Amino acid sequence: MTDDHQRLQRAIQLAQTNVAQGGRPFGAVLTRDGDVLVEAVNEIHLTQDPTAHAELLAIRAASRQLGTRLDGCVIYASGQPCPMCLSAMYLCGVERVVFAASNEMAEPYGLSTAAIGQQVGLPVSEQRLPIQHLPDEAMTTLYHQWKTLHAPE
């Protein structure tokens, strides 16, 4: 059995345990250089935090160990990562994602996030959620200040 398959099986086992404990069927395993760094499950049912997805919790825990960059890390997830989790993976530099259940497989159970992915892929003016841009010149000054303070030497 390949490492990918073993790690994915572990994510599925975590999801199974989470369902048995009243949670959602989502588990994640985060590795670096083949070593498991973090295992996590969806904790929405425990925390009432809608962002407490297994992948995000794994990223948060790994970031506490490694810092904000997770270059070289792989996330194994029981389900296809939602747009929020996928965005976080891009932001922190996760190298690769492997998942078991697709959005198509999850759809009949009300667990697909494909519709959200479609919405966030649209131009802001076409998204269902009203989003208003109110430009403020103070932000240009603030961005300039940030860049000055964080410019490479």
Side-chain angles (χ1 to χ4, degrees), residues 1-152:
M1 190 183 307
T2 67
D3 280 350
D4 280 352
H5 189 70
Q6 288 175 342
R7 302 294 190 227
L8 194 55
Q9 287 302 304
R10 179 62 184 148
I12 293 168
Q13 288 172 349
L14 291 166
Q16 289 169 331
T17 300
N18 203 42
V19 167
Q21 295 174 350
R24 295 180 181 215
F26 301 109
V29 175
L30 188 146
T31 67
R32 186 180 214 181
D33 299 324
D35 296 326
V36 174
L37 297 181
V38 177
E39 294 183 340
V41 295
N42 183 295
E43 293 183 0
I44 293 173
H45 67 295
L46 298 174
T47 63
Q48 301 307 306
D49 175 355
T51 69
H53 291 200
E55 300 93 331
L56 274 185
L57 295 176
I59 288 169
R60 289 172 187 161
S63 294
R64 285 190 292 274
Q65 293 176 34
L66 304 173
T68 59
R69 295 299 305 169
L70 299 181
D71 299 316
C73 290
V74 178
I75 292 183
Y76 298 89
S78 60
Q80 184 170 344
C82 75
M84 174 181 65
C85 293
L86 196 56
S87 294
M89 291 175 203
Y90 276 107
L91 286 170
C92 68
V94 165
E95 181 177 288
R96 196 162 60 94
V97 182
V98 180
F99 66 91
S102 67
N103 274 324
E104 293 78 19
M105 184 184 290
E107 181 66 34
Y109 306 98
L111 297 170
S112 173
T113 58
I116 296 169
Q118 290 170 343
Q119 281 295 305
V120 297
L122 294 172
V124 170
S125 63
E126 295 176 27
Q127 291 184 33
R128 186 183 66 209
L129 178 67
I131 302 171
Q132 185 176 6
H133 176 211
L134 292 176
D136 190 309
E137 192 56 36
M139 289 307 302
T140 301
T141 302
L142 184 58
Y143 281 2
H144 178 75
Q145 179 185 6
W146 178 86
K147 185 175 182 180
T148 300
L149 291 171
H150 294 89

